[in-house]
Amino acid sequence: MQPQRDNDVLSQALKLVRRHRGMTAAAVARAMRMALRTYQRFEAGGRSLNLDYIHRFAVATRSDPQAIIMAVAIGSPDLAWRCADNKLITALTIGGQRFNALLGDDIAGLEARPIILAVCAMYDALLAESDRQQAAARWLENGVTDLAQVRPAPGR
């Protein structure tokens, strides 16, 4: 399988986020304060990666600009819409910014092993939380179904 071009991944990511928000290209262009044709070229991947446009798009669509950039970096356009609401990648970036401010040059002395272990532990904790959320949602859904089955039929 041939790898996708960065612009193709970006184009797919932008479309997924825009559709996730239920917005038209014209509405996003207006919110970004740019001509529709300029926006259409941007969304089609007809321009080189433009961080200013990505950030303006994220503001216009209330999405995660860092997730859009990461979507291109890892070749997964779906990441952009998956993080649009929870801002996962922006949260990771803020954490990186704070860590950089706290540790500074000492970051260079960190070995790969504890970094990998810390990253894996963080993602394992998020996976466990996702499992708990899904279990709670299933419990509530099953309870609503059970209640509906025992509720007397409405009468007149």
Side-chain angles (χ1 to χ4, degrees):
M1 183 167 111
Q2 186 174 1
Q4 294 182 313
R5 295 178 330 118
D6 287 351
N7 287 353
D8 295 337
V9 176
L10 176 62
S11 174
Q12 291 172 3
L14 297 173
K15 288 174 188 171
L16 287 169
V17 170
R18 179 174 58 76
R19 291 174 184 149
H20 175 68
R21 291 290 184 236
M23 297 175 76
T24 65
V28 175
R30 254 190 323 279
M32 289 178 67
R33 295 189 172 102
M34 68 173 46
L36 176 58
R37 186 67 195 124
T38 303
Y39 173 77
Q40 288 170 330
R41 277 194 301 277
F42 168 60
E43 186 180 89
R47 314 187 72 131
S48 60
L49 199 64
N50 184 319
L51 294 179
D52 177 55
Y53 280 12
I54 290 171
H55 283 276
R56 288 168 62 184
F57 174 86
V59 168
T61 59
R62 301 170 334 279
S63 60
D64 186 341
Q66 304 302 324
I68 295 168
I69 295 164
M70 180 67 79
V72 174
I74 68 171
S76 176
D78 290 332
L79 180 69
W81 77 262
R82 289 174 179 151
C83 297
D85 296 325
N86 65 21
K87 313 292 190 282
L88 171 66
I89 306 303
T90 289
L92 294 174
T93 304
I94 292 167
Q97 178 188 38
R98 290 183 177 170
F99 189 70
N100 180 59
L102 289 169
L103 219 53
D105 292 345
D106 290 341
I107 290 173
L110 291 174
E111 293 183 16
R113 183 179 179 280
I115 295 169
I116 293 166
L117 290 173
V119 169
C120 289
M122 179 196 63
Y123 283 118
D124 287 346
L126 290 172
L127 284 168
E129 180 58 28
S130 175
D131 289 346
R132 285 189 292 273
Q133 287 178 1
Q134 290 176 20
R138 281 191 305 275
W139 180 88
L140 186 59
E141 186 178 312
N142 291 339
V144 168
T145 300
D146 292 347
L147 286 174
Q149 289 176 352
V150 298
R151 182 178 180 274
R156 293 196 166 189

